[in-house]
């Protein structure tokens, strides 16, 4: 029956009953009583003496958050130079300087400077987010202290920095809780904990002692208040149990400044960078050794070897990555109000295949709605809802409450106003967490001299006060339990007739009641959640629900939203605690709903998912979500989240809406798909050219291409591929995560690079046939020109035929934009082909030692290119069938 009790009042329930709300632990621990707490702290209700307080202040330190000194901007800039991708750029700059390509070296140095500056600025901004903590902390507090042991206690205002464990403080409406405290006395106390938990509803608190064994450790302990929360109503006297770095507020923020492991973007960049570094270190020695052994030129070929290393590395990679991510982030911010605080976070969003979310506020709204009203026989009975509305209306009016709570507001929204106004209110006994019910006393029209008590609240509490036999009470309790088992919140309604009098009504009058029925409520679904879940599923993103609610409540919301979740797909905190770290990745991968989760559970689940190879996003809004936000590849927070959480997130949403997350995933895949396509195409083409140059160096008695020609060819190719930053990838690219894995990339560039090398070697034969007829002038210049032209033409073909990096050709012709018109990639490929054909015979050709080519060469080259295009398409389809 405890489950139905819990469902009835998550916003205002009695201590120890019902499903744990967000952040509440589920394992039983010993909870000390008030007297035990006072003894442990060596204090009393009269407070500490001034002398003792100063001694404790010297021993414990000031009540301040441990805000570490942030690293300076220059230090962050220097630290960013250690990134492998930055190392690649620096090596490239040195290589360019070695071949006296000063313009290229300066551009690369500028790219390194801008990249490090942007990274240092972002990290510096994140470090400053800790300053937001201070805005959530009170500046003064009302403290009860004594001048000496025999003096009377005196209340006075003190700076919160001077509070120590054992101090007795007083709280009133509007006060910020200055430290972690244990309530000694409380009257109608409710506190707002959204800065800690993200929950918008005020939480009732009471000073009652908990049982010896109780669920403890979360922010929703009813007898404790925590630093960072604020008092909404009521008053209290409390004893300080923790200050400074020992508060739960400080613990929630601890160790969140750095991720436990690199994000998806970091892993991608590091993997690609190390591939490039290995190739760059390998190529020059191989070229030098081979040329020395075959032709005896030795160090004379050093400029050519260095140029080959330069040609292997895509100089425009940082420009294209920054452009793709910046364009995607700009469109996302303007169209959907989603702010990517780190540009790499947009790439991570595109790679996400698991999204972890909370239930409340994401899948459901922060309010319940009435599901139905049942009579004692279990059938629908609208009269039950009418009596519940009368109770809610007159309790609100006569108890002088500032606003109805969430459950009463749901009842009032569903009821007819005329039905409530048909009664005249007499008195009200407002809701009390200890009683778990509220009572309104009204005059029934046409019945003079009689008052009607309308009681509403927790089913167990109401049934205890009803005039029922044991069998009837058990049957009704079972009825309420079945409704709670369906994931519904349950309120019981009862009435009683009393003779009208002048005396004051008290809780003692709540007896001998007539049971009227049950009102069931469910969480109101977020309007766009169902469609957003379908969109995410279509894009191969699995949504996992990490909630502090009861399993049945989470299951009900999932079923209402169309998520196929069975009882076996739900894991509770108790089971998580029993599972070791080695077994957790497999369990987390096959589980959809994790119920009764604490912040520690959420962080552990996310780490397990990442250990299993998933790219994980997490959507949270409370301070207690910070560890999970940082553990995820990409942390997402709504604009209405607490300041610290919003500053610690990678992506900020205008609203807590899964639709915006779905749009962000698409934008991330758009950018990530273009980056991946660029890397595949440029690296495979460059590798093919390097292999062909190595072979040519062994076959011909002269350099197969001059260093200036290598650099010019590479510059043209990289400049053309900047078009990928403005491309629209095919729909198939947006339907799966854009994770660029180094091994898969190496497999792709090796296979297609060797195919490109074969095309280059075929060109050697074509050049041999073209040169055999004689009359072609400088043989070396013709060879260089023919290969230069062939390289640019084959690279243009690769841009068109390998553009989608997968099955894109099945969705739309490669390189074409909307309505079949050529897109930016098609235009760039055409421009590259024109340069390859026009530059050698043009007046600019001699500057690069290029010359015109015989007509026979163009005919033979056409045949080679056609054969190469066919081989490319066959190889791509075979690759797709095997790996895509």
């Amino acid at each position: 029956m405890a489950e139905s009790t819990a469902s009835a009042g998550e916003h205002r329930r009695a201590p120890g009953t019902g499903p744990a709300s967000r952040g509440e632990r589920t394992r039983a621990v010993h909870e000390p009583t008030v007297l035990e707490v006072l003894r442990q702290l060596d204090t009393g209700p009269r407070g500490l003496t001034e002398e003792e307080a100063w001694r404790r202040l010297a021993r414990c330190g000031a009540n301040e958050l441990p805000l570490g000194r942030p690293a300076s901007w220059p230090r962050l800039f220097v630290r960013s130079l250690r990134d492998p991708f930055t190392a690649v750029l620096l090596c490239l700059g040195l290589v360019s300087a070695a071949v006296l390509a000063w313009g290229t070296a300066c551009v690369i140095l500028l790219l390194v400077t801008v990249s490090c500056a942007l990274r240092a600025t972002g990290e510096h901004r994140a470090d400053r987010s800790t300053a937001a903590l201070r805005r959530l902390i009170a500046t003064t507090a009302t403290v009860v202290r004594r001048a000496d042991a025999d003096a009377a206690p005196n209340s006075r205002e003190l700076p919160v920095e001077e509070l120590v464990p054992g101090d007795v403080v007083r709280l009133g409406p509007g006060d910020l809780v200055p430290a972690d405290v244990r309530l000694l006395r409380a009257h109608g106390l409710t506190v707002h904990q959204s800065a800690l938990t993200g929950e918008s509803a005020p939480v009732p608190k009471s000073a009652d002692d908990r049982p010896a064994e109780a669920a403890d450790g979360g922010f929703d302990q009813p007898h404790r208040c925590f630093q960072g929360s604020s008092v909404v109503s009521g008053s209290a006297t409390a004893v300080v149990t923790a200050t400074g770095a020992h508060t739960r507020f400080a613990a929630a923020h601890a160790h969140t400044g750095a991720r436990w492991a690199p994000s998806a973007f970091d892993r991608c960049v590091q993997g690609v960078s190390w591939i490039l570094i290995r190739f760059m270190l390998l190529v020059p020695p191989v070229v030098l050794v081979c040329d020395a052994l075959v032709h005896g030129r030795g160090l004379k070929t050093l400029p050519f070897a260095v140029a080959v290393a330069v040609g292997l590395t895509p100089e425009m990679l940082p420009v294209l990555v920054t452009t793709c991510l910046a364009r995607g982030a700009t469109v996302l911010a303007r169209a959907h109000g989603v702010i990517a605080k780190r540009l790499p976070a947009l790439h991570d969003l595109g790679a996400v295949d698991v999204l972890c979310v909370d239930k409340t506020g994401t899948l459901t709204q922060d309010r319940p709605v009435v599901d139905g009203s049942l009579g004692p026989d279990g059938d629908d009975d609208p009269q039950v809802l009418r009596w519940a509305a009368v109770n809610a209306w007159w309790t609100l009016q006569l108890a002088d409450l500032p606003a109805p709570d969430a459950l009463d507001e749901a009842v009032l929204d569903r009821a007819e106003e005329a039905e409530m106004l048909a009664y005249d209110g007499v008195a009200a006994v407002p809701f009390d967490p200890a009683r778990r019910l509220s009572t309104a006393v009204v005059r029934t029209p046409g019945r003079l001299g009689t008052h009607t008590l309308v009681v509403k609240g927790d089913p167990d509490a109401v049934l205890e006060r009803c005039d029922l036999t044991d069998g009837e009470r058990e049957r009704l309790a079972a009825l309420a339990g079945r409704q709670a088992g369906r994931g519904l919140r349950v309120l019981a309604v009862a009435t009683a007739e009393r003779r009208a009098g002048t005396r004051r009504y008290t809780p003692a009058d709540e007896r001998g009641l007539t049971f009227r029925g049950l009102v069931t409520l469910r969480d109101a679904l977020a309007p766009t959640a169902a469609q957003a879940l379908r969109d995410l599923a279509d894009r191969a993103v699995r949504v996992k629900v990490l909630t502090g609610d009861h399993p049945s409540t989470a299951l009900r919301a999932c079923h209402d939203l169309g998520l196929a979740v069975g009882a076996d797909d739900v894991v509770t905190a108790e089971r998580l605690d029993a599972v070791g770290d080695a077994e957790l990745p497999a369990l987390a991968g096959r589980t959809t709903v994790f119920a009764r989760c604490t912040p520690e559970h959420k962080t552990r689940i996310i780490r397990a998912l990442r250990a299993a190879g998933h790219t994980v996003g997490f959507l949270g809004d409370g301070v207690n979500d910070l560890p999970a936000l940082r553990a995820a590849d990409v942390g997402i927070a709504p604009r209405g989240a607490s300041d610290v959480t919003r500053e610690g997130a990678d992506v900020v949403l205008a609203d807590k809406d899964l639709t915006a997350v779905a749009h962000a995933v698409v934008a991330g895949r758009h950018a990530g798909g273009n980056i991946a396509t660029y890397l595949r195409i440029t690296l495979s083409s460059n590798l093919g050219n390097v292999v062909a140059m190595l072979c040519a160096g062994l076959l011909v008695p002269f350099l197969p291409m001059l260093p200036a020609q290598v650099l010019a060819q590479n510059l043209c190719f990289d400049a053309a591929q900047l078009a990928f930053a403005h491309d629209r990838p095919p729909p198939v690219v947006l339907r799966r995560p854009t994770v660029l894995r180094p091994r898969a990339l190496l497999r792709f560039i090796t296979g297609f690079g060797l195919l490109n090398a074969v095309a280059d070697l075929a060109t050697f034969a074509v050049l041999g046939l073209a040169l055999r007829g004689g009359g072609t002038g400088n043989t070396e210049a013709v060879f260089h020109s023919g290969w230069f032209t062939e390289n640019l033409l084959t690279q243009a073909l690769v841009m068109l035929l390998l553009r989608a990096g997968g099955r894109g050709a099945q969705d739309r012709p490669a390189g074409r934009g909307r309505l079949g018109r050529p897109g930016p990639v098609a235009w760039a490929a055409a421009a590259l082909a024109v340069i390859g054909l026009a530059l050698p015979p043009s007046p600019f050709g001699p500057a690069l030692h290029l010359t015109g080519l015989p007509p026979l060469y163009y005919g033979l080259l056409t045949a080679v290119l056609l054969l190469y295009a066919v081989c490319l398409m066959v190889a791509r389809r075979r690759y797709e069938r095997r790996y895509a």
Side-chain angles (χ1 to χ4, degrees), residues 38-287:
L38 293 175
R39 286 176 177 173
Q40 291 171 2
L41 295 171
D42 192 20
T43 186
R46 301 171 70 232
L48 300 172
T49 63
E50 294 289 353
E51 182 180 356
E52 176 62 20
W54 283 110
R55 278 200 299 266
R56 296 190 183 191
L57 184 62
R59 183 173 68 249
C60 302
N63 180 31
E64 296 176 332
L65 289 171
L67 300 179
R69 184 178 180 182
S72 63
W73 191 90
R75 184 176 180 180
L76 293 173
F77 182 89
V78 173
R79 185 189 301 170
S80 63
L81 292 173
R82 297 181 297 186
D83 183 79
F85 183 66
T86 304
V88 170
L89 293 178
L90 286 175
C91 291
L92 184 59
L94 294 176
V95 167
S96 301
V99 296
L100 303 180
W102 299 112
T104 302
C106 291
V107 170
I108 292 174
L109 180 61
L110 178 63
L111 293 175
V112 170
T113 303
V114 171
S115 174
C116 293
L118 291 175
R119 185 179 295 114
T121 301
E123 293 182 5
H124 187 59
R125 187 184 300 114
D127 287 340
R128 290 186 315 196
S129 67
T130 54
L133 290 168
R134 295 190 180 275
R135 295 197 294 270
L136 299 175
I137 306 303
T139 55
T140 62
T142 303
V143 185
V144 178
R145 283 186 180 174
R146 296 171 290 159
D148 53 59
D150 298 326
N154 180 41
S155 298
R156 61 191 183 94
E157 293 288 322
L158 284 179
V160 294
E161 291 84 359
E162 298 181 12
L163 286 183
V164 296
D167 263 328
V168 175
V169 297
R170 290 178 176 169
L171 303 172
D175 287 345
L176 294 175
V177 179
D180 288 357
V181 300
R182 172 61 153 95
L183 297 176
L184 302 177
R185 293 183 298 275
H187 178 70
L189 182 67
T190 60
V191 299
H192 214 295
Q193 299 185 152
S194 61
L196 303 174
T197 66
E199 299 288 354
S200 60
V203 179
K205 300 286 184 177
S206 65
D208 297 337
D209 276 338
R210 302 280 302 276
E213 298 293 330
D216 182 39
F219 288 118
D220 285 347
Q221 300 171 70
H223 56 295
R224 293 183 182 273
C225 295
F226 299 92
Q227 187 180 56
S229 57
S230 59
V231 178
V232 177
S233 62
S235 60
T237 302
V239 60
V240 175
T241 58
T243 59
H246 303 289
T247 63
R248 289 294 305 277
F249 189 85
H253 189 261
H255 310 298
T256 60
R259 297 185 183 275
W260 80 285
S263 68
F265 183 80
D266 297 330
R267 295 193 298 270
C268 169
V269 167
Q270 290 176 10
V272 173
S273 298
W274 284 116
I275 289 177
L276 297 180
I277 289 173
R278 292 186 182 101
F279 273 114
M280 287 179 63
L281 295 177
L282 178 65
V283 167
V286 170
V287 172

